Amino acid sequence: MVARLVIAAPASGSGKTTVATGLMAAFTRSGLAVSPHKVGPDYIDPGYHSLATGRPGRNLDAYMCGPELMAPLFAHGARGCDLAVVEGVMGLYDGASGLGELASTAQVSKLLRAPVVLVVDASSQSRSVAALVHGFASWDPEVRIGGVILNKVGSDRHEALLREAMEDVGVPVLGALRRAPQVDTPSRHLGLVPVAERRADAVDAVAAMGEQVRAGCDLDALIALARSAPPLGTQAWEPGFASPHPAPSPRPPAAGTASGRWARGSAPQTPEGLDIAAGAAIHGRQNQGRRPLVAVAGGPAFTFSYAEHTELLAAAGADVVTFDPLRDEQLPLGTGGLVIGGGFPEMYAAELSANEPLRKAVAELARSGAPVAAECAGLLYLARSLDGQPMCGVLDADARMSGRLTLGYREAVAVRDNSLAVAGTRLRGHEFHRTVIEPGAGADPAWGIVHPERRVEGFVQQGVHASYLHTHWAARPEVARRFAEGCAR
């Protein structure tokens, strides 16, 4: 089984991304094949991981995909590699709000049977670092903290004080890193600026991270720790395999309901009491005996996607082609369906609006009934306008930037049959945005949110499914199959 390390921290802002990315870059430069992973739903850090390793960055989210898929998804991504480096999320023991250890770095480290390296921001402490590390190491005996990397160390004297304090803790110091402005990565309203928006600068920053880690960490001790991880004993996830959680089939209408709609109380209900209805037709074109072509939006404006989505679409029989809405004036020839994921269209609203030929092509495809799956940024792009700039006009809604951050996990149920799911399908996702769209839901909503609050959200019309909710299709492979089948019609 592949050697592996989990890079965690007591809290956000301690330097996990710098250390994890630096380790990936340093070990890759040494000749190892390194598999990059990120705990949680974040899309941006994996872009830097990919730049450091030359491999797709992959997420391990136990809330969206379930704890039982963490090891199989890890094994799938790490297949053929010498080493896997897993960057944690938030503080080591922080997980989904109100759900204990679920989706925490600690939980994932246990599911992967992986040793943890704790990155500690030592900038404002000396002897206290020992108490902090002792507390984290003893909190959960099933979490194996195999070493510490001291970050933001001020001087040689400061480093000596920190190392002396750590001598009685029983956790070895595997590195000490000084403050280094050259490894800093610019941030904005949703975190780090994605790699795709600063390619040359990002390359330089990742190289600097690798050099800093190489110079300040004991790479031999770190790889020895990684190789001490026991066999995982799991079968790698395969995109062609059936889901361990098959989607619920639509129930027949309750007796006495001539309309064929769900009887109130006989099926999952949206908060407002809107019945979930099955049987809506999914429009498409006749199958010409060819593999359907799915166009996936990319480029600087649409950088959020999970690697498994395209793998699932390909396994479902689709050919996947990426296009850039900032540059390409037409959809790829033969497009049968469209996936528009998350990103930062608000940063490129004028440029997206100026590409009128593509906006018209997207609207025409949507009007034809072709399957269109849009998440967050994709939702904004399909709207009538974004910050006053004309968008595709597929949805009778307008979007704008907001000062309020919407962030968190959600549990949702499909309200109607649509291009992604049958009515009644439950899945988990997350929201992460500083925009609002008005109205927030169409006559046929995409989802009924059932946790943590109760509301309807998003839009379903013909083959279009547009929503703020980010989902991970590895939890529901039938979503990709259904979408690909719709593209073939």
Side-chain angles (χ1 to χ4, degrees):
M1 187 59 195
V2 65
R4 53 200 182 274
L5 291 172
V6 171
I7 310 303
S12 296
S14 300
K16 291 191 304 292
T17 300
T18 296
V19 172
T21 306
L23 284 171
M24 293 172 191
F27 281 122
T28 298
R29 185 178 176 184
S30 75
L32 297 180
V34 180
S35 179
H37 303 263
K38 169 70 179 179
V39 177
D42 177 66
Y43 294 101
I44 299 175
D45 292 348
Y48 287 87
H49 298 169
S50 181
L51 195 60
T53 63
R55 298 176 63 89
R58 295 178 183 272
N59 293 72
L60 298 169
D61 193 299
Y63 181 88
M64 290 198 293
C65 295
E68 68 281 356
L69 272 185
M70 294 301 93
L73 283 171
F74 170 83
H76 169 70
R79 185 185 281 117
C81 287
D82 303 306
L83 170 69
V85 177
V86 182
E87 181 188 341
V89 61
M90 300 184 294
L92 173 59
Y93 295 108
D94 300 326
S97 180
L99 296 174
E101 73 170 5
L102 179 62
S104 69
T105 304
Q107 183 192 39
V108 172
S109 75
K110 291 189 287 186
L111 293 168
L112 301 184
R113 307 182 73 187
V116 174
V117 175
L118 195 68
V119 178
V120 177
D121 179 353
S123 59
S124 300
Q125 58 184 316
S126 58
R127 192 164 178 264
S128 295
V129 73
L132 185 151
V133 173
H134 173 73
F136 271 81
S138 60
W139 177 263
D140 184 344
E142 295 183 32
V143 175
R144 178 190 171 200
I145 296 183
V148 171
I149 292 176
L150 304 169
N151 193 29
K152 303 180 185 178
V153 175
S155 64
D156 290 345
R157 175 61 176 160
H158 187 204
E159 180 178 341
L161 290 171
L162 294 166
R163 288 183 179 273
E164 180 182 359
M166 286 294 299
E167 287 177 357
D168 295 329
V169 178
V171 179
V173 175
L174 301 180
L177 305 178
R178 303 298 169 87
R179 300 181 183 94
Q182 63 268 32
V183 305
D184 291 344
T185 301
S187 300
R188 60 177 180 226
H189 56 282
L190 293 183
L192 299 182
V193 176
V195 165
E197 297 187 47
R198 54 184 301 264
R199 174 67 60 172
D201 290 340
V203 169
D204 292 342
V206 168
M209 292 176 197
E211 179 57 28
Q212 183 193 34
V213 165
R214 186 198 63 77
C217 294
D218 187 341
L219 295 185
D220 290 338
L222 284 159
I223 193 65
L225 177 64
R227 288 171 176 160
S228 73
L232 196 51
T234 190
Q235 184 176 2
W237 176 84
E238 295 288 351
F241 283 7
S243 170
H245 304 291
S249 300
R251 306 176 193 174
T257 57
S259 68
R261 290 172 62 96
W262 291 106
R264 196 175 301 273
S266 68
Q269 301 287 309
T270 63
E272 288 76 7
L274 178 65
D275 295 325
I276 293 175
I282 303 296
H283 294 277
R285 285 138 318 287
Q286 294 299 313
N287 188 348
Q288 302 297 316
R290 298 188 298 263
R291 287 172 63 91
L293 191 149
V294 177
V296 177
F302 299 96
T303 55
F304 294 2
S305 66
Y306 296 127
E308 291 81 5
H309 287 201
T310 54
E311 294 171 345
L312 283 163
L313 287 169
D319 289 330
V320 181
V321 178
T322 301
F323 71 102
D324 184 350
L326 291 176
R327 299 175 181 270
D328 298 321
E329 294 190 344
Q330 295 297 325
L331 293 169
L333 184 64
T335 293
L338 182 59
V339 175
I340 315 174
F344 291 98
E346 62 270 25
M347 304 302 297
Y348 298 94
E351 294 92 329
L352 290 170
S353 183
N355 191 350
E356 186 175 359
L358 183 64
R359 291 194 290 111
K360 289 182 176 179
V362 169
E364 182 179 345
L365 184 73
R367 284 195 298 269
S368 77
V372 178
E375 289 185 351
C376 200
L379 167 70
L380 308 183
Y381 186 54
L382 295 184
R384 184 168 47 221
S385 68
L386 171 57
D387 285 337
Q389 299 281 352
M391 291 290 121
C392 294
V394 172
L395 307 175
D396 189 17
D398 297 286
R400 57 178 173 80
M401 281 292 292
S402 165
R404 178 175 178 269
L405 174 63
T406 299
L407 171 67
Y409 286 124
R410 309 285 186 257
E411 187 169 351
V413 58
V415 178
R416 297 283 186 271
D417 279 13
N418 58 71
S419 58
L420 295 181
V422 296
T425 298
R426 286 179 176 264
L427 54 68
R428 287 174 163 183
H430 71 100
E431 283 190 78
F432 185 38
H433 57 89
R434 286 188 184 272
T435 61
V436 294
I437 190 166
E438 297 170 342
D444 288 326
W447 302 109
I449 305 296
V450 296
H451 180 82
E453 70 277 346
R454 304 180 66 83
R455 58 187 171 87
V456 290
E457 189 269 344
F459 302 78
V460 169
Q461 57 187 56
Q462 293 184 282
V464 174
H465 185 283
S467 164
Y468 267 125
L469 194 67
H470 293 288
T471 59
H472 200 306
W473 293 358
R476 290 278 189 180
E478 64 273 16
V479 168
R481 291 196 293 269
R482 180 177 178 87
F483 188 84
E485 289 167 2
C487 296
R489 292 193 181 102

